Amino acid sequence: MTGTNRSDEWTDTIGAEPARPRGDRRRWWWIGLGVLAAVLAGLYVTAYAMVGDRVPHGTKVAGIDIGGLAPDDARAKLADRLVGRAARPVTFEYAGRAFNVDPATAGLSFDAEQTVQDAGGGRSWNPLRMIDVLTGPEASVAPVTRVDDDALADAVTAIADRVDTTVAEGSIRVRGVRPVISQPAVGRQVDQSATVSAAQQAYFRETGGIPLPVKEQQPSLTGSELRAFVDSRVTAIVSGPIELALPGQTLPLPPRQFAPSLSWQVQDGALVLRVDEKVLGRTTRTTLGRIDDKPQNASLELRDDRPVVIPARPGVTVEAAEIADAVRAVAQNPGERKVEVGTSVERADVRTRDLKRLGVKEQVGDFVTYFPYAEYRNINQGRAAELIDGTLVKPGETFSFNGTVGERTEENGFTKGFIISNGVFAEDLGGGVSQVVTTTYNAAFFAGMDDITHTPHSFYIDRYPLGREATVAWPTVDLKWRNSTPYGVLAHAWVVPSTASSSGEMHVQLFSTKYWDITAGVSDRYAFTSPRTRYDPSDTCVANTGYGGFDVDVYRYFRKPGSSNLVKKETDHVVYTPSDSVVCSVPPR
């Protein structure tokens, strides 16, 4: 029984397929899935290796197809194809002129690397990107440019320097009697910020010129408006004379005299009149001369050898400013051409009463010296006398010969003559003037003037008073005397010219109120010295027969007019050196 049972169990086992465990089926499923994944991964890696860094299919930059190219190839292609475009200047146009912005100097450049990167060139694991590389649609990518802001700003500024102008307002002036218009000009200023932006946008894109952003400033008045003002107003102003109504008379001022001073300038949008008083003063000189009466100072004149006070006279004048006001009035109302003009009274600087108070009424000093004929003496003494004549020395003032006569030059009217230099005669400008000095000194001596300084000649000249003579030399040696009286002193000097047959006369008179009676005295000569003999072979030698020197004393006695009482006595010690003999040859052996 037992065996039979085993046989049955065995039979059942052999006759049926055994059942597989559920865990085995899952394992095989995962193996298959892994194999598939490995295959796909292999394909993905292969695709990445082949197209993972390439530019997507159909990509174009500025019309250049770089789709499917590796980045390096794409950059190289763009750089090669766009090199000319990158160097092409940005051209602005204004008023028919072209202004180029050179990329090389303006800091504009094409960035091929960034352009390729923006186009999709470069490694990517994105499968969709890989598909685009192979089958993507056409796409345009904008070129990427770089800008050096400072360099571009400088380039735009350079353009502005060529375009910018300041608005110029028109003006009107009168040339002669004809109005002339200076035309207005529009002001222009480049909008540099907008120009920089436009240059950035146009670079690499525009092929033609683009408008230059310029702001224009219009003048306040147009040329036609200025012309209308000339026709309606200026022409009327200069159409005829202005009648100047003065006290007691009316004078016409013709257009040729007042018109050149007129001009109109634009101010706050309107034409404003300007009158140039300097020009008006110059152009109206003739008319003003008929009006102006200059003041005359009181003066002293000699009539019948007596001083007379010529009274002062005030002047009546019209200033250019008053004429300018008259012109402005006519400019405001051209139909009314008669204008009242005020005058002003100008008093003289030296009044009549001032001169009368000086008491110049009689001769108080008079002296005359005589000189041999020489034309240079006539000229030089006459010119010095002319400069001294009429000199007024007020109380307390000092007379200076050099200060009054000035330097002896040709320009001052002097000529060459003989002078004493270094103890001998020589030729120089102003020769003979010492005759005037000596005569003036003696006139002042006997008028009682204070002797401030005088210098006698180095040796005695016998045509002069012994001890009472003087000489001068510019600018160191001078004759000076002070008026210490309470009255003015008037000098009168003149020359009676010498001739070949007659001596000349040098006269000096002083007029005042007599304050002193002066008498003079002189000592005998003493302390005699002997001359030497000099030899001079030069061309400038002046031969001379010498004579000895000596000392002498001169006395001046002061008394009040009409009195015999001596008030004071002055003594002047004079030393004369010998006058050496001069032989114009070499010394004898």
Side-chain angles (χ1 to χ4, degrees):
M1 291 281 298
T2 302
T4 302
N5 288 340
R6 290 180 184 156
S7 174
D8 292 339
E9 288 180 15
W10 179 255
T11 302
D12 290 339
T13 301
I14 294 299
E17 187 175 333
R20 296 181 181 177
R22 183 173 296 177
D24 291 341
R25 289 197 301 272
R26 292 194 181 115
R27 184 170 61 251
W28 284 107
W29 186 84
W30 284 108
I31 291 172
L33 185 58
V35 171
L36 178 59
V39 171
L40 292 176
L43 293 174
Y44 183 65
V45 171
T46 301
Y48 173 78
M50 294 178 63
V51 300
D53 64 345
R54 295 179 180 273
V55 178
H57 177 270
T59 300
K60 293 182 178 180
V61 176
I64 300 171
D65 188 0
I66 60 172
L69 296 179
D72 288 344
D73 294 336
R75 284 192 293 270
K77 184 175 182 180
L78 290 178
D80 179 61
R81 297 284 295 276
L82 297 179
V83 62
R85 189 166 178 176
R88 186 171 60 204
V90 178
T91 301
F92 290 96
E93 293 180 347
Y94 179 75
R97 300 167 62 191
F99 305 90
N100 291 328
V101 176
D102 181 14
T105 58
L108 295 171
S109 60
F110 168 56
D111 190 340
E113 182 175 355
Q114 187 61 48
T115 301
V116 171
Q117 186 175 338
D118 289 356
R123 294 289 179 179
S124 175
W125 292 98
N126 188 337
L128 296 178
R129 191 22 241 298
M130 295 180 189
I131 294 173
D132 281 344
V133 170
L134 299 174
T135 62
E138 288 190 4
S140 294
V141 176
V144 177
T145 58
R146 299 295 182 191
V147 179
D148 183 332
D149 293 335
D150 291 339
L152 181 56
D154 289 343
V156 171
T157 298
I159 293 176
D161 290 341
R162 297 169 59 191
V163 175
D164 287 356
T165 58
T166 303
V167 63
E169 298 288 358
S171 62
I172 303 169
R173 59 189 177 90
V174 181
R175 180 180 296 167
V177 295
R178 182 173 63 87
V180 177
I181 297 175
S182 294
Q183 293 295 333
V186 175
R188 300 179 177 88
Q189 186 174 21
V190 173
D191 186 339
Q192 297 191 32
S193 177
T195 304
V196 167
S197 298
Q200 291 176 335
Q201 295 173 9
Y203 176 60
F204 224 88
R205 295 172 180 81
E206 297 291 341
T207 57
I210 56 177
L212 181 67
V214 175
K215 299 176 182 178
E216 294 187 349
Q217 183 180 0
Q218 299 295 327
S220 302
L221 298 176
T222 64
S224 59
E225 289 173 320
L226 295 176
R227 170 52 60 187
F229 183 84
V230 167
D231 294 341
S232 63
R233 176 62 68 87
V234 180
T235 300
I237 294 171
V238 300
S239 62
I242 297 174
E243 299 294 327
L244 303 178
L246 301 162
Q249 63 177 323
T250 299
L251 290 176
L253 186 66
R256 68 177 181 277
Q257 292 189 15
F258 70 82
S261 68
L262 303 179
S263 65
W264 285 262
Q265 308 292 329
V266 176
Q267 183 176 329
D268 297 329
L271 284 167
V272 177
L273 171 67
R274 293 182 181 176
V275 180
D276 191 324
E277 293 184 8
K278 289 185 178 180
V279 172
L280 188 63
R282 184 171 63 252
T283 57
T284 59
R285 187 176 296 129
T286 301
T287 299
L288 290 177
R290 297 167 60 189
I291 303 171
D292 287 353
D293 186 10
K294 299 298 182 184
Q296 298 293 325
N297 289 329
S299 60
L300 285 165
E301 290 185 3
L302 293 176
R303 294 181 179 177
D304 298 328
D305 294 329
R306 293 187 61 83
V308 176
V309 175
I310 307 301
R313 183 166 54 84
V316 178
T317 62
V318 175
E319 300 294 336
E322 296 169 345
I323 304 295
D325 289 340
V327 173
R328 292 186 186 96
V330 172
Q332 293 296 323
N333 184 11
E336 181 56 56
R337 309 195 70 83
K338 187 173 183 178
V339 184
E340 291 188 4
V341 178
T343 58
S344 58
V345 176
E346 184 179 357
R347 297 192 178 278
D349 294 330
V350 181
R351 300 182 181 183
T352 305
R353 64 185 182 186
D354 296 334
L355 284 189
K356 287 184 175 181
R357 287 173 180 171
L358 291 178
V360 180
K361 60 184 180 181
E362 60 186 328
Q363 180 178 296
V364 297
D366 178 26
F367 207 77
V368 57
T369 58
Y370 302 90
F371 57 92
Y373 171 70
E375 192 58 32
Y376 77 86
R377 297 180 190 274
N378 292 335
I379 294 172
N380 290 337
Q381 292 183 45
R383 176 57 177 159
E386 178 185 9
L387 294 168
I388 292 172
D389 190 44
T391 299
L392 179 65
V393 184
K394 296 179 181 179
E397 291 184 346
T398 296
F399 170 87
S400 164
F401 185 91
N402 280 340
T404 303
V405 174
E407 186 176 2
R408 273 66 77 187
T409 64
E410 291 182 356
E411 292 77 13
N412 197 19
F414 292 90
T415 188
K416 285 186 177 182
F418 288 107
I419 64 169
I420 298 175
S421 176
N422 195 25
V424 297
F425 288 102
E427 194 174 24
D428 199 359
L429 284 165
V433 166
S434 61
Q435 184 98 27
V436 185
V437 180
T438 293
T439 310
T440 304
Y441 167 72
N442 277 275
F445 181 95
F446 287 104
M449 300 295 104
D450 291 350
D451 182 9
I452 302 302
T453 181
H454 82 280
T455 303
H457 287 85
S458 57
F459 51 80
Y460 178 58
I461 301 174
D462 59 6
R463 68 174 179 273
Y464 297 148
L466 181 62
R468 292 199 326 268
E469 46 86 18
T471 187
V472 292
W474 180 269
T476 54
V477 181
D478 198 3
L479 166 67
K480 292 183 179 181
W481 50 263
R482 180 188 297 113
N483 176 13
S484 59
T485 76
Y487 308 104
V489 176
L490 175 67
H492 178 42
W494 75 98
V495 168
V496 177
S498 62
T499 67
S501 59
S502 64
S503 297
E505 300 177 7
M506 178 66 231
H507 292 263
V508 175
Q509 294 177 336
L510 298 180
F511 294 85
S512 183
T513 293
K514 197 166 185 63
Y515 195 73
W516 295 110
D517 271 340
I518 301 294
T519 55
V522 61
S523 71
D524 292 332
R525 306 178 187 188
Y526 61 95
F528 294 95
T529 54
S530 300
R532 297 178 303 148
T533 300
R534 301 186 190 185
Y535 293 90
D536 183 2
S538 70
D539 294 338
T540 59
C541 174
V542 177
N544 181 54
T545 300
Y547 51 86
F550 56 89
D551 290 10
V552 70
D553 295 321
V554 175
Y555 309 110
R556 182 163 62 153
Y557 304 97
F558 290 78
R559 294 177 176 86
K560 286 295 183 179
S563 172
S564 60
N565 295 329
L566 180 65
V567 176
K568 62 179 178 178
K569 173 186 176 182
E570 290 180 351
T571 301
D572 184 28
H573 178 67
V574 180
V575 177
Y576 290 114
T577 62
S579 174
D580 293 341
S581 296
V582 178
V583 179
C584 296
S585 67
V586 297
R589 295 183 180 275

